[in-house]
Amino acid sequence: KNQVEQSPQSLIILEGKNCTLQCNYTVSPFSNLRWYKQDTGRGPVSLTIMTFSENTKSNGRYTATLDADTKQSSLHITASQLSDSASYICVVRNSGSARQLTFGSGTQLTVLP
Amino acid sequence: DTEVTQTPKHLVMGMTNKKSLKCEQHMGHRAMYWYKQKAKKPPELMFVYSYEKLSINESVPSRFSPECPNSSLLNLHLHALQPEDSALYLCASRTLSGSTDTQYFGPGTRLTVL
């Protein structure tokens, strides 16, 4: 069964600090992995997308890594800001099936001043 | 225009009411989706439309009825809902041409069933 597990479930950090969120998946066959940011009561917004051959990708203060061998990904946030407070969802796409996206349960990040 | 819009933002309805949620995009995307999201849970896929035809129904109860009148619009008709149907309903769209498979999400409709 395709699964995406994220850790930690929630995280509280101080403004300006760095943090790393984890995503483990068992989706197969793998197509790509995406990190979304979802503000409370809003729709998810795509931050990064990574395919099998990509190890790391950055989008401003967000850096995602992918280890396709161990089926793990991380999202590193540098110099956090209050506006980073949101849920971060890892979504893995598998190829060869119409039901293609498997969502993780998300990590709820709170950045305090 | 890279936006998916949804109306209304909030909806409160009784169990005997009939209401509709609307979703619109003008990005030329030919795949559109309805998701249901409960608090602190990931979105759950409900329906997928490809080229204005229903391609996936994830065993959703018949009190939810989707409709895709044209390539820019997606509706979700609601009738005889239950309190447990209260959730954030998200619409998304993506292109079916080119190499990207990014789904663009709307802001959602917060539905409360009394």
PDB file of all heavy atoms in Angstrom, chain A residues 11-33:
ATOM      1  N   LEU A  11       5.799  21.178  15.209  1.00  0.00           N
ATOM      2  CA  LEU A  11       7.108  21.726  15.544  1.00  0.00           C
ATOM      3  C   LEU A  11       6.938  23.198  15.872  1.00  0.00           C
ATOM      4  O   LEU A  11       6.241  23.915  15.139  1.00  0.00           O
ATOM      5  CB  LEU A  11       8.046  21.541  14.360  1.00  0.00           C
ATOM      6  CG  LEU A  11       9.491  21.995  14.480  1.00  0.00           C
ATOM      7  CD1 LEU A  11      10.198  21.231  15.583  1.00  0.00           C
ATOM      8  CD2 LEU A  11      10.204  21.805  13.149  1.00  0.00           C
ATOM      9  N   ILE A  12       7.556  23.629  16.960  1.00  0.00           N
ATOM     10  CA  ILE A  12       7.542  25.042  17.338  1.00  0.00           C
ATOM     11  C   ILE A  12       8.981  25.531  17.406  1.00  0.00           C
ATOM     12  O   ILE A  12       9.813  24.920  18.079  1.00  0.00           O
ATOM     13  CB  ILE A  12       6.857  25.254  18.709  1.00  0.00           C
ATOM     14  CG1 ILE A  12       5.413  24.740  18.674  1.00  0.00           C
ATOM     15  CG2 ILE A  12       6.884  26.729  19.100  1.00  0.00           C
ATOM     16  CD1 ILE A  12       4.717  24.793  20.024  1.00  0.00           C
ATOM     17  N   ILE A  13       9.269  26.616  16.683  1.00  0.00           N
ATOM     18  CA  ILE A  13      10.617  27.166  16.693  1.00  0.00           C
ATOM     19  C   ILE A  13      10.540  28.682  16.845  1.00  0.00           C
ATOM     20  O   ILE A  13       9.481  29.282  16.630  1.00  0.00           O
ATOM     21  CB  ILE A  13      11.408  26.814  15.411  1.00  0.00           C
ATOM     22  CG1 ILE A  13      10.700  27.386  14.173  1.00  0.00           C
ATOM     23  CG2 ILE A  13      11.585  25.310  15.280  1.00  0.00           C
ATOM     24  CD1 ILE A  13      11.492  27.208  12.887  1.00  0.00           C
ATOM     25  N   LEU A  14      11.676  29.288  17.197  1.00  0.00           N
ATOM     26  CA  LEU A  14      11.736  30.731  17.304  1.00  0.00           C
ATOM     27  C   LEU A  14      12.113  31.341  15.960  1.00  0.00           C
ATOM     28  O   LEU A  14      12.873  30.750  15.176  1.00  0.00           O
ATOM     29  CB  LEU A  14      12.740  31.143  18.378  1.00  0.00           C
ATOM     30  CG  LEU A  14      12.367  30.745  19.823  1.00  0.00           C
ATOM     31  CD1 LEU A  14      13.484  31.151  20.777  1.00  0.00           C
ATOM     32  CD2 LEU A  14      11.052  31.383  20.230  1.00  0.00           C
ATOM     33  N   GLU A  15      11.589  32.509  15.723  1.00  0.00           N
ATOM     34  CA  GLU A  15      11.892  33.248  14.499  1.00  0.00           C
ATOM     35  C   GLU A  15      13.407  33.372  14.310  1.00  0.00           C
ATOM     36  O   GLU A  15      14.139  33.646  15.264  1.00  0.00           O
ATOM     37  CB  GLU A  15      11.262  34.639  14.599  1.00  0.00           C
ATOM     38  CG  GLU A  15      11.344  35.468  13.334  1.00  0.00           C
ATOM     39  CD  GLU A  15      10.662  36.816  13.508  1.00  0.00           C
ATOM     40  OE1 GLU A  15      10.342  37.186  14.663  1.00  0.00           O
ATOM     41  OE2 GLU A  15      10.443  37.503  12.491  1.00  0.00           O
ATOM     42  N   GLY A  16      13.829  33.138  13.084  1.00  0.00           N
ATOM     43  CA  GLY A  16      15.252  33.237  12.767  1.00  0.00           C
ATOM     44  C   GLY A  16      15.975  31.894  12.828  1.00  0.00           C
ATOM     45  O   GLY A  16      17.081  31.764  12.285  1.00  0.00           O
ATOM     46  N   LYS A  17      15.381  30.918  13.485  1.00  0.00           N
ATOM     47  CA  LYS A  17      16.024  29.599  13.586  1.00  0.00           C
ATOM     48  C   LYS A  17      15.754  28.769  12.346  1.00  0.00           C
ATOM     49  O   LYS A  17      14.824  29.033  11.583  1.00  0.00           O
ATOM     50  CB  LYS A  17      15.507  28.842  14.822  1.00  0.00           C
ATOM     51  CG  LYS A  17      15.811  29.538  16.132  1.00  0.00           C
ATOM     52  CD  LYS A  17      17.311  29.613  16.367  1.00  0.00           C
ATOM     53  CE  LYS A  17      17.602  30.185  17.743  1.00  0.00           C
ATOM     54  NZ  LYS A  17      19.070  30.341  17.973  1.00  0.00           N
ATOM     55  N   ASN A  18      16.569  27.730  12.173  1.00  0.00           N
ATOM     56  CA  ASN A  18      16.389  26.791  11.071  1.00  0.00           C
ATOM     57  C   ASN A  18      15.637  25.558  11.565  1.00  0.00           C
ATOM     58  O   ASN A  18      15.626  25.258  12.764  1.00  0.00           O
ATOM     59  CB  ASN A  18      17.745  26.338  10.511  1.00  0.00           C
ATOM     60  CG  ASN A  18      18.614  27.490  10.082  1.00  0.00           C
ATOM     61  OD1 ASN A  18      18.115  28.567   9.749  1.00  0.00           O
ATOM     62  ND2 ASN A  18      19.921  27.275  10.067  1.00  0.00           N
ATOM     63  N   CYS A  19      15.038  24.828  10.639  1.00  0.00           N
ATOM     64  CA  CYS A  19      14.390  23.569  11.014  1.00  0.00           C
ATOM     65  C   CYS A  19      14.365  22.637   9.812  1.00  0.00           C
ATOM     66  O   CYS A  19      14.514  23.061   8.662  1.00  0.00           O
ATOM     67  CB  CYS A  19      12.977  23.780  11.531  1.00  0.00           C
ATOM     68  SG  CYS A  19      11.807  24.393  10.304  1.00  0.00           S
ATOM     69  N   THR A  20      14.184  21.346  10.110  1.00  0.00           N
ATOM     70  CA  THR A  20      14.136  20.332   9.056  1.00  0.00           C
ATOM     71  C   THR A  20      12.940  19.418   9.286  1.00  0.00           C
ATOM     72  O   THR A  20      12.747  18.903  10.391  1.00  0.00           O
ATOM     73  CB  THR A  20      15.427  19.491   9.036  1.00  0.00           C
ATOM     74  OG1 THR A  20      16.535  20.356   8.803  1.00  0.00           O
ATOM     75  CG2 THR A  20      15.369  18.449   7.928  1.00  0.00           C
ATOM     76  N   LEU A  21      12.163  19.221   8.255  1.00  0.00           N
ATOM     77  CA  LEU A  21      11.002  18.350   8.292  1.00  0.00           C
ATOM     78  C   LEU A  21      11.310  17.088   7.487  1.00  0.00           C
ATOM     79  O   LEU A  21      11.992  17.149   6.467  1.00  0.00           O
ATOM     80  CB  LEU A  21       9.774  19.066   7.686  1.00  0.00           C
ATOM     81  CG  LEU A  21       9.535  20.520   8.128  1.00  0.00           C
ATOM     82  CD1 LEU A  21       8.304  21.088   7.453  1.00  0.00           C
ATOM     83  CD2 LEU A  21       9.446  20.628   9.624  1.00  0.00           C
ATOM     84  N   GLN A  22      10.767  15.958   7.935  1.00  0.00           N
ATOM     85  CA  GLN A  22      11.092  14.679   7.319  1.00  0.00           C
ATOM     86  C   GLN A  22       9.876  14.057   6.637  1.00  0.00           C
ATOM     87  O   GLN A  22       8.731  14.224   7.072  1.00  0.00           O
ATOM     88  CB  GLN A  22      11.619  13.693   8.360  1.00  0.00           C
ATOM     89  CG  GLN A  22      12.861  14.151   9.098  1.00  0.00           C
ATOM     90  CD  GLN A  22      14.085  14.161   8.182  1.00  0.00           C
ATOM     91  OE1 GLN A  22      14.115  13.534   7.125  1.00  0.00           O
ATOM     92  NE2 GLN A  22      15.115  14.900   8.594  1.00  0.00           N
ATOM     93  N   CYS A  23      10.163  13.300   5.575  1.00  0.00           N
ATOM     94  CA  CYS A  23       9.115  12.589   4.846  1.00  0.00           C
ATOM     95  C   CYS A  23       9.664  11.239   4.403  1.00  0.00           C
ATOM     96  O   CYS A  23      10.703  11.180   3.750  1.00  0.00           O
ATOM     97  CB  CYS A  23       8.685  13.419   3.629  1.00  0.00           C
ATOM     98  SG  CYS A  23       7.546  12.575   2.494  1.00  0.00           S
ATOM     99  N   ASN A  24       9.004  10.159   4.782  1.00  0.00           N
ATOM    100  CA  ASN A  24       9.355   8.808   4.327  1.00  0.00           C
ATOM    101  C   ASN A  24       8.186   8.259   3.514  1.00  0.00           C
ATOM    102  O   ASN A  24       7.026   8.439   3.894  1.00  0.00           O
ATOM    103  CB  ASN A  24       9.620   7.883   5.520  1.00  0.00           C
ATOM    104  CG  ASN A  24      10.813   8.324   6.336  1.00  0.00           C
ATOM    105  OD1 ASN A  24      11.657   9.063   5.866  1.00  0.00           O
ATOM    106  ND2 ASN A  24      10.864   7.881   7.577  1.00  0.00           N
ATOM    107  N   TYR A  25       8.493   7.571   2.442  1.00  0.00           N
ATOM    108  CA  TYR A  25       7.397   7.092   1.591  1.00  0.00           C
ATOM    109  C   TYR A  25       7.657   5.662   1.148  1.00  0.00           C
ATOM    110  O   TYR A  25       8.784   5.177   1.143  1.00  0.00           O
ATOM    111  CB  TYR A  25       7.216   8.004   0.376  1.00  0.00           C
ATOM    112  CG  TYR A  25       8.414   8.067  -0.550  1.00  0.00           C
ATOM    113  CD1 TYR A  25       8.533   7.210  -1.635  1.00  0.00           C
ATOM    114  CD2 TYR A  25       9.421   9.015  -0.341  1.00  0.00           C
ATOM    115  CE1 TYR A  25       9.629   7.266  -2.480  1.00  0.00           C
ATOM    116  CE2 TYR A  25      10.520   9.079  -1.187  1.00  0.00           C
ATOM    117  CZ  TYR A  25      10.617   8.215  -2.244  1.00  0.00           C
ATOM    118  OH  TYR A  25      11.711   8.282  -3.082  1.00  0.00           O
ATOM    119  N   THR A  26       6.559   5.010   0.798  1.00  0.00           N
ATOM    120  CA  THR A  26       6.651   3.643   0.263  1.00  0.00           C
ATOM    121  C   THR A  26       5.958   3.561  -1.087  1.00  0.00           C
ATOM    122  O   THR A  26       5.596   2.471  -1.542  1.00  0.00           O
ATOM    123  CB  THR A  26       6.009   2.625   1.233  1.00  0.00           C
ATOM    124  OG1 THR A  26       4.635   2.994   1.433  1.00  0.00           O
ATOM    125  CG2 THR A  26       6.736   2.589   2.565  1.00  0.00           C
ATOM    126  N   VAL A  27       5.743   4.712  -1.722  1.00  0.00           N
ATOM    127  CA  VAL A  27       5.037   4.764  -3.002  1.00  0.00           C
ATOM    128  C   VAL A  27       5.894   4.150  -4.094  1.00  0.00           C
ATOM    129  O   VAL A  27       7.073   4.445  -4.216  1.00  0.00           O
ATOM    130  CB  VAL A  27       4.694   6.226  -3.367  1.00  0.00           C
ATOM    131  CG1 VAL A  27       4.058   6.302  -4.746  1.00  0.00           C
ATOM    132  CG2 VAL A  27       3.777   6.828  -2.311  1.00  0.00           C
ATOM    133  N   SER A  28       5.259   3.301  -4.894  1.00  0.00           N
ATOM    134  CA  SER A  28       5.975   2.634  -5.978  1.00  0.00           C
ATOM    135  C   SER A  28       5.019   2.313  -7.117  1.00  0.00           C
ATOM    136  O   SER A  28       3.871   1.903  -6.861  1.00  0.00           O
ATOM    137  CB  SER A  28       6.619   1.350  -5.446  1.00  0.00           C
ATOM    138  OG  SER A  28       7.341   0.695  -6.459  1.00  0.00           O
ATOM    139  N   PRO A  29       5.411   2.446  -8.360  1.00  0.00           N
ATOM    140  CA  PRO A  29       6.651   3.049  -8.818  1.00  0.00           C
ATOM    141  C   PRO A  29       6.640   4.560  -8.636  1.00  0.00           C
ATOM    142  O   PRO A  29       5.633   5.217  -8.861  1.00  0.00           O
ATOM    143  CB  PRO A  29       6.669   2.676 -10.306  1.00  0.00           C
ATOM    144  CG  PRO A  29       5.231   2.515 -10.669  1.00  0.00           C
ATOM    145  CD  PRO A  29       4.560   1.964  -9.457  1.00  0.00           C
ATOM    146  N   PHE A  30       7.791   5.082  -8.264  1.00  0.00           N
ATOM    147  CA  PHE A  30       7.920   6.489  -7.905  1.00  0.00           C
ATOM    148  C   PHE A  30       8.000   7.352  -9.152  1.00  0.00           C
ATOM    149  O   PHE A  30       8.676   7.003 -10.125  1.00  0.00           O
ATOM    150  CB  PHE A  30       9.185   6.655  -7.057  1.00  0.00           C
ATOM    151  CG  PHE A  30       9.520   8.071  -6.708  1.00  0.00           C
ATOM    152  CD1 PHE A  30       8.963   8.676  -5.599  1.00  0.00           C
ATOM    153  CD2 PHE A  30      10.427   8.790  -7.482  1.00  0.00           C
ATOM    154  CE1 PHE A  30       9.282   9.982  -5.264  1.00  0.00           C
ATOM    155  CE2 PHE A  30      10.749  10.105  -7.153  1.00  0.00           C
ATOM    156  CZ  PHE A  30      10.176  10.698  -6.035  1.00  0.00           C
ATOM    157  N   SER A  31       7.320   8.494  -9.112  1.00  0.00           N
ATOM    158  CA  SER A  31       7.433   9.460 -10.201  1.00  0.00           C
ATOM    159  C   SER A  31       8.070  10.751  -9.715  1.00  0.00           C
ATOM    160  O   SER A  31       9.096  11.169 -10.250  1.00  0.00           O
ATOM    161  CB  SER A  31       6.061   9.754 -10.814  1.00  0.00           C
ATOM    162  OG  SER A  31       6.182  10.722 -11.831  1.00  0.00           O
ATOM    163  N   ASN A  32       7.459  11.401  -8.729  1.00  0.00           N
ATOM    164  CA  ASN A  32       8.067  12.603  -8.159  1.00  0.00           C
ATOM    165  C   ASN A  32       7.551  12.843  -6.757  1.00  0.00           C
ATOM    166  O   ASN A  32       6.581  12.217  -6.312  1.00  0.00           O
ATOM    167  CB  ASN A  32       7.851  13.826  -9.062  1.00  0.00           C
ATOM    168  CG  ASN A  32       6.380  14.152  -9.269  1.00  0.00           C
ATOM    169  OD1 ASN A  32       5.629  14.277  -8.309  1.00  0.00           O
ATOM    170  ND2 ASN A  32       5.978  14.326 -10.515  1.00  0.00           N
ATOM    171  N   LEU A  33       8.221  13.746  -6.057  1.00  0.00           N
ATOM    172  CA  LEU A  33       7.855  14.105  -4.689  1.00  0.00           C
ATOM    173  C   LEU A  33       7.762  15.606  -4.611  1.00  0.00           C
ATOM    174  O   LEU A  33       8.646  16.315  -5.102  1.00  0.00           O
ATOM    175  CB  LEU A  33       8.885  13.574  -3.695  1.00  0.00           C
ATOM    176  CG  LEU A  33       8.600  13.803  -2.201  1.00  0.00           C
ATOM    177  CD1 LEU A  33       9.163  12.644  -1.393  1.00  0.00           C
ATOM    178  CD2 LEU A  33       9.157  15.123  -1.712  1.00  0.00           C
TER     179      LEU A  33
END
